[in-house]
């Protein structure tokens, strides 16, 4: 059945709109943090895989970093182990770290690799332990200090210091942060036309494995690779103003103002800080996009409007 003239024109407009973006981003590295609904909904999973394969086919170099928190939680529940969180971070003892490695480095990573390969891509799965990719150290977490007592009230300095409770440092176990990244194995895979798919597990100088936030790994990887773009998939429309309207096309200075005035808060704050650090470190643009939208990655890269918030360092 042939297309109607109207349908044919719509398709032609989409293709011609994509052309300058394909030309602009050929041979450029684009780091994508894959997570949220896009990882659990079958339609969205297949759409994401097709997006990544198409990007590679037209000459871009996608590098995927994935999360897997819900999958880790489900397996821990199945073995009767309680999940504990401090400020959104999973407390990870040695037993939990074994589960994290099984789920992230095995189940989730290989599912993504298989999905991309089924759509005629050539993906290779890694953790940060492969090729000495991600160097990490134990994350030290200290809660915010106690609020001001409101004046000394005639109390001596020694007595006042005795009254002030210094926040304790909480041991999160095998939760880590990135110290450095060796991209040799990534460069080798990209040069061989493979799509790297990376689980956010690093290794410390102490030889221990560490569970690292996937957004932070994606941001650090984008910085090290001097990527054209960092894309963070979320379960929200992007950064919203106080009236609930989507904000985009923001430079770093404007974003910092939004943080100061409280517009950026809650769970969005770490993602925005990750995006800001990336653009300050040489990544040309960071995107926080709605992973609940089918083909969100393609829409953000290949169309004028996109489906999320774009943050740049003033050079776009």
């Amino acid at each position: 059945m042939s297309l109607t003239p109207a349908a044919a024109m719509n398709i032609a407009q989409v293709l011609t709109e994509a052309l300058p973006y394909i030309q602009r981003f050929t041979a450029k590295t684009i780091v994508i943090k894959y997570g949220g609904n896009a990882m659990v909904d079958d339609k969205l999973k297949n759409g994401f895989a097709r997006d990544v394969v198409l990007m590679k086919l037209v000459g871009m170099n996608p590098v995927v970093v994935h999360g897997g928190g819900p999958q880790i939680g489900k397996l821990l529940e199945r073995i009767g182990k309680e999940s504990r969180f401090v400020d959104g971070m999973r407390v990870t003892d040695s037993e939990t770290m074994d589960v994290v490695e099984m789920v992230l480095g095995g189940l989730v990573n290989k599912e993504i690799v298989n999905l991309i390969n089924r759509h005629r891509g050539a993906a290779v799965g890694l953790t940060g332990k492969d090729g000495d990719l991600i160097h990490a150290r134990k994350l030290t977490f200290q809660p915010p200090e106690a609020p001001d007592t409101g004046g000394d009230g005639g109390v001596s300095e020694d007595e006042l210091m005795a009254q002030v409770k210094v926040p304790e440092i909480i041991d999160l176990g095998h939760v880590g942060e990135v110290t450095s990244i060796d991209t040799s194995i990534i460069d080798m895979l990209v040069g061989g036309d493979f799509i790297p798919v990376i689980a956010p597990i690093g290794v410390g100088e102490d030889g221990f494995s560490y569970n690292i936030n996937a957004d932070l790994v994606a941001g650090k990887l984008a910085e090290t690779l001097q990527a054209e773009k960092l894309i963070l998939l979320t379960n929200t429309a992007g950064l919203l103003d106080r009236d609930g309207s989507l904000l985009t096309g923001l430079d770093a200075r404007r974003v910092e103002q939004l943080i100061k005035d409280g517009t950026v808060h809650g769970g969005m704050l770490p993602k925005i800080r990750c995006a800001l650090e990336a653009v300050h470190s040489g990544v040309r643009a960071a995107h926080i996009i709605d992973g609940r939208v089918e083909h969100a990655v393609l829409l953000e890269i290949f169309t004028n409007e996109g489906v999320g918030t774009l943050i740049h360092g003033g050079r776009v």
Side-chain angles (χ1 to χ4, degrees):
M1 185 174 66
S2 61
L3 294 170
T4 65
M9 183 57 68
N10 285 338
I11 292 173
Q13 287 176 341
V14 169
L15 293 174
T16 55
E17 184 176 331
L19 178 60
Y21 295 104
I22 294 173
Q23 292 171 325
R24 178 177 176 182
F25 302 137
T26 294
K28 301 293 187 181
T29 298
I30 298 176
V31 176
I32 307 165
K33 186 269 178 163
Y34 177 49
N37 279 30
M39 282 186 70
V40 296
D41 180 280
D42 285 340
K43 191 174 183 180
L44 294 175
K45 288 196 295 186
N46 281 284
F48 174 80
R50 290 171 64 89
D51 290 358
V52 171
V53 172
L54 179 57
M55 290 168 64
K56 190 67 175 179
L57 189 63
V58 298
M60 301 177 192
N61 295 321
V63 177
V64 178
V65 178
H66 65 83
Q71 294 90 333
I72 294 168
K74 285 180 181 178
L75 184 53
L76 287 172
E77 185 178 355
R78 281 173 56 188
I79 66 174
K81 189 170 182 64
E82 181 184 3
S83 292
R84 290 181 52 231
F85 293 89
V86 174
D87 201 36
M89 294 176 286
R90 185 186 302 276
V91 178
T92 308
D93 60 17
S94 295
E95 185 180 28
T96 301
M97 190 65 220
D98 289 342
V99 172
V100 168
E101 292 206 65
M102 284 192 303
V103 174
L104 290 185
L107 179 65
V108 175
N109 188 271
K110 300 315 172 191
E111 180 185 14
I112 298 167
V113 167
N114 183 51
L115 197 59
I116 292 172
N117 291 345
R118 278 173 47 203
H119 288 283
R120 308 290 295 275
V124 174
L126 307 165
T127 75
K129 300 173 79 169
D130 295 305
D132 206 25
L133 174 59
I134 301 174
H135 301 172
R137 66 183 168 214
K138 184 182 179 71
L139 179 67
T140 301
F141 177 74
Q142 186 170 346
E145 293 183 5
D148 192 346
T149 57
D152 59 24
V155 178
S156 71
E157 183 177 346
D158 288 342
E159 290 173 321
L160 181 61
M161 289 301 295
Q163 292 175 9
V164 175
K165 184 179 180 181
V166 178
E168 62 177 334
I169 295 175
I170 297 177
D171 186 358
L172 298 173
H174 292 261
V175 175
E177 57 185 345
V178 177
T179 56
S180 64
I181 293 180
D182 183 343
T183 63
S184 300
I185 192 168
I186 302 295
D187 297 336
M188 181 184 71
L189 291 172
V190 169
D193 283 335
F194 291 100
I195 300 167
V197 178
I198 302 163
I201 298 168
V203 181
E205 290 186 1
D206 52 14
F208 291 120
S209 300
Y210 288 99
N211 180 21
I212 310 173
N213 178 277
D215 288 334
L216 298 181
V217 170
K220 290 295 184 183
L221 186 59
E223 293 172 26
T224 306
L225 291 169
Q226 286 295 280
E228 178 74 14
K229 292 179 179 294
L230 167 66
I231 298 177
L232 306 175
L233 270 72
T234 69
N235 284 341
T236 65
L239 177 57
L240 307 179
D241 65 16
R242 294 182 183 275
D243 297 322
S245 299
L246 181 66
L247 296 170
T248 192
L250 306 173
D251 63 21
R253 181 178 299 178
R254 174 62 177 143
V255 175
E256 286 163 353
Q257 290 173 346
L258 293 169
I259 292 173
K260 287 180 181 177
D261 70 19
T263 300
V264 183
H265 62 279
M268 183 58 70
L269 190 55
K271 292 185 185 294
I272 292 294
R273 290 197 186 281
C274 175
L276 266 182
E277 187 172 342
V279 297
H280 281 316
S281 300
V283 178
R284 191 171 182 87
H287 305 249
I288 299 173
I289 68 174
D290 194 344
R292 301 168 300 179
V293 176
E294 192 174 4
H295 298 297
V297 174
L298 285 190
L299 291 170
E300 187 67 18
I301 293 175
F302 292 130
T303 67
N304 295 329
E305 290 79 17
V307 289
T309 297
L310 179 149
I311 299 170
H312 59 83
R315 295 171 295 144
V316 176

